[in-house]
Amino acid sequence: MKNGEGRRLNKQAGEDDEEEEDDLEGGLEAWERRYAEDRSWEALQEDESGLLQPIDNSAIYHAQYRRRLRALSLASTAASRIQKGLIRFLYVVIDLSRAASEMDFKPSRMVVVAKHVEAFIREFFDQNPLSQIGLAIIKDGVAQCLTDLGGSPESHIKALMGKLSCSGDSSLQNGLDLVHGFLNQIPTYGHREVLILYSALSTCDPGDIMETIQKCKKSKLRCSVIGLAAEMFICKHLCQETGGTYSVALDESHFKELILEHAPPPPAIAEFAISNLIKMGFPQRAAEGSISICSCHKEAKVGVGYTCPRCKARVCELPTECRICGLQLVSSPHLARSYHHLFPIAPFNEVPSSRLNNSHGRSPSTCFGCQQSLLNLGNKPGLSVACPKCKKYFCLECDIYIHESLHNCPGCESYRPLTPVAASGE
């Protein structure tokens, strides 16, 4: 009798718990609860011109805050003359095991990773024009090389989008062995890096992975890992031994921030920061209509590519290494764009809104960059920044554009001090 009463009470308690859960979920169906937290269409509003814009801009301000912290760290390291790896050879290892098909990232981890890897490749070549990227995947317990090291973002993206399928287990050791074989042949002036995007919670390895980690450390490979599930000891140990960084993504926006943090060149490891002179060639673009055999693909091509100044061989893209004579081939714009990492622009200072709203002050009320009003911007009215050198005022959008894309202050570049030309004429 007592057992029957106990079962009845437990059943009643279970029904009460289910009713409480239904009340907390607002009586939504299962398919509605799946998208309850992703109702992005409700977070929109119309501006004065009738365009839609998000109501909550916390993600934008948070991204700007992280960028400002990175800018502050760059400014502090520039004073101590920390060497940067301007010529980088990076292999991106993507985990495409069955764990990448999980749908905690909408629509799946694989789709989210592929989308942001594409954006990362373009951003990487924009900030590192002298560097090269290679792609590798891990699936079915085996590591496969998608693309060799090269400087063409389109070829990497095309190869990645053609191999998007998940199956089998993940093997971290096989992935490290694969990229170690490629990066170990890189010249000493190149900085060898590995970025692993890991979705699984385990690794199925054929041998001792600790020996592989020590082999990567001895070969001066800087290994970084971004996890999509939870923290793993072996990934953290790998990053600590090789001088890389390890982080776990909380959501898609956080994953985007983490992967883009690897686009700027990191400081070189102290014991490996050796200055070297590098021979470089500046090839000429091939004439229109000329026919020659490309040394990269061993094919005859018409009017495309560049000619090596040493051996006159034809290559398709820059930067690259000549397949015939081994000369590093770059273009002068690539070389010039690499210097902004050595001399980063100073971070701008935040301007309190009270100074902008003060009608008696001399502070301008428009952005010096885009000429838009600095008053009543979004959800934080009057939030703006000022250059510490030229004292010009900028909005947040121009601040991000100046530090992440332009790398020059328009106010400082437009300022021309008066020179004693008239005095010399007299």
Side-chain angles (χ1 to χ4, degrees):
M1 188 68 181
K2 292 182 180 180
N3 293 335
E5 291 179 356
R7 287 194 297 270
R8 180 173 57 82
L9 292 175
N10 291 336
K11 182 178 180 181
Q12 183 178 0
E15 292 177 353
D16 294 340
D17 293 339
E18 291 179 358
E19 291 178 357
E20 291 179 0
E21 291 179 359
D22 293 339
D23 294 338
L24 291 175
E25 293 171 352
L28 299 176
E29 298 293 337
W31 64 272
E32 292 178 320
R33 291 196 297 268
R34 181 179 178 184
Y35 298 98
E37 298 179 357
D38 194 25
R39 304 171 69 90
S40 57
W41 60 86
E42 294 182 354
L44 297 174
Q45 66 179 1
E46 289 189 8
D47 57 7
E48 297 177 356
S49 59
L51 299 177
L52 294 177
Q53 61 180 3
I55 295 177
D56 185 15
N57 293 327
S58 58
I60 299 176
Y61 294 118
H62 179 65
Q64 186 212 10
Y65 174 72
R66 295 177 62 85
R67 183 202 57 73
R68 291 178 64 84
L69 289 181
R70 293 197 300 270
L72 288 173
S73 63
L74 287 175
S76 61
T77 55
S80 57
R81 296 182 180 273
I82 291 183
Q83 187 173 350
K84 296 286 185 178
L86 297 183
I87 303 180
R88 305 165 62 188
F89 295 89
L90 171 67
Y91 256 100
V92 181
V93 182
I94 305 174
D95 179 12
L96 291 182
S97 61
R98 67 170 65 95
S101 61
E102 295 290 336
M103 294 187 295
D104 49 353
F105 288 73
K106 304 291 175 54
S108 67
R109 295 179 183 176
M110 179 188 66
V111 176
V112 171
V113 168
K115 179 177 70 173
H116 292 296
V117 166
E118 178 182 358
F120 168 75
I121 291 175
R122 300 185 188 278
E123 182 68 17
F124 179 87
F125 284 114
D126 182 66
Q127 298 200 32
N128 306 270
L130 300 180
S131 303
Q132 298 183 26
I133 274 185
L135 296 181
I137 60 174
I138 306 174
K139 61 190 302 185
D140 298 322
V142 180
Q144 304 175 11
C145 179
L146 284 185
T147 58
D148 295 329
L149 290 170
S152 174
E154 299 301 332
S155 61
H156 295 305
I157 295 172
K158 182 179 180 181
L160 174 62
M161 296 306 172
K163 294 289 185 179
L164 290 182
S165 62
C166 306
S167 61
D169 298 323
S170 179
S171 177
L172 184 61
Q173 183 183 13
N174 287 336
L176 291 176
D177 286 333
L178 177 68
V179 297
H180 176 268
F182 292 116
L183 294 177
N184 197 34
Q185 305 173 6
I186 297 301
T188 56
Y189 62 78
H191 292 259
R192 309 166 183 177
E193 302 178 39
V194 180
L195 176 60
I196 304 174
L197 308 178
Y198 209 70
S199 299
L201 283 173
S202 61
T203 173
C204 184
D205 301 324
D208 188 1
I209 191 174
M210 294 299 179
E211 296 180 358
T212 304
I213 293 176
Q214 293 302 320
K215 182 171 61 174
C216 294
K217 180 181 179 181
K218 184 178 180 180
S219 299
K220 306 176 184 179
L221 267 66
R222 180 191 179 100
C223 301
S224 300
V225 181
I226 299 179
L228 282 84
E231 182 175 309
M232 293 177 58
F233 167 77
I234 191 63
C235 295
K236 187 175 183 179
H237 178 71
L238 169 66
C239 299
Q240 290 177 347
E241 288 293 318
T242 59
T245 59
Y246 178 51
S247 51
V248 178
L250 302 178
D251 51 25
E252 182 177 353
S253 61
H254 188 214
F255 176 75
K256 179 181 178 181
E257 293 179 9
L258 292 177
I259 193 173
L260 290 181
E261 285 180 357
H262 293 272
I269 303 176
E271 55 182 313
F272 304 143
I274 303 175
S275 300
N276 292 313
L277 295 177
I278 307 170
K279 289 185 178 181
M280 289 188 175
F282 298 91
Q284 295 181 351
R285 189 173 181 86
E288 295 293 337
S290 60
I291 302 176
S292 61
I293 298 177
C294 172
S295 62
C296 307
H297 305 89
K298 308 297 188 295
E299 298 176 354
K301 295 187 177 181
V302 181
V304 292
Y306 303 86
T307 304
C308 175
R310 175 185 290 176
C311 64
K312 308 303 180 184
R314 180 70 65 88
V315 294
C316 294
E317 59 193 24
L318 297 177
T320 187
E321 182 178 341
C322 181
R323 301 293 181 92
I324 306 301
C325 63
L327 182 65
Q328 187 74 19
L329 303 177
V330 299
S331 65
S332 54
H334 288 163
L335 196 60
R337 283 166 50 198
S338 301
Y339 277 96
H340 64 79
H341 296 296
L342 300 178
F343 308 100
I345 183 173
F348 291 170
N349 302 322
E350 293 187 4
V351 179
S353 57
S354 58
R355 183 182 301 180
L356 293 175
N357 293 328
N358 184 10
S359 59
H360 299 287
R362 297 183 179 179
S363 301
S365 59
T366 58
C367 172
F368 185 79
C370 61
Q371 301 300 315
Q372 297 294 324
S373 176
L374 295 176
L375 302 178
N376 301 324
L377 290 177
N379 297 330
K380 295 187 177 182
L383 186 59
S384 59
V385 293
C387 176
K389 295 182 179 180
C390 64
K391 309 301 181 182
K392 299 296 183 181
Y393 284 59
F394 298 92
C395 62
L396 299 183
E397 289 77 8
C398 290
D399 180 26
I400 297 176
Y401 175 71
I402 289 171
H403 284 86
E404 294 185 354
S405 301
L406 194 60
H407 304 291
N408 287 292
C409 175
C412 297
E413 293 296 325
S414 62
Y415 174 73
R416 293 291 183 269
L418 296 178
T419 57
V421 177
S424 61
E426 295 178 356

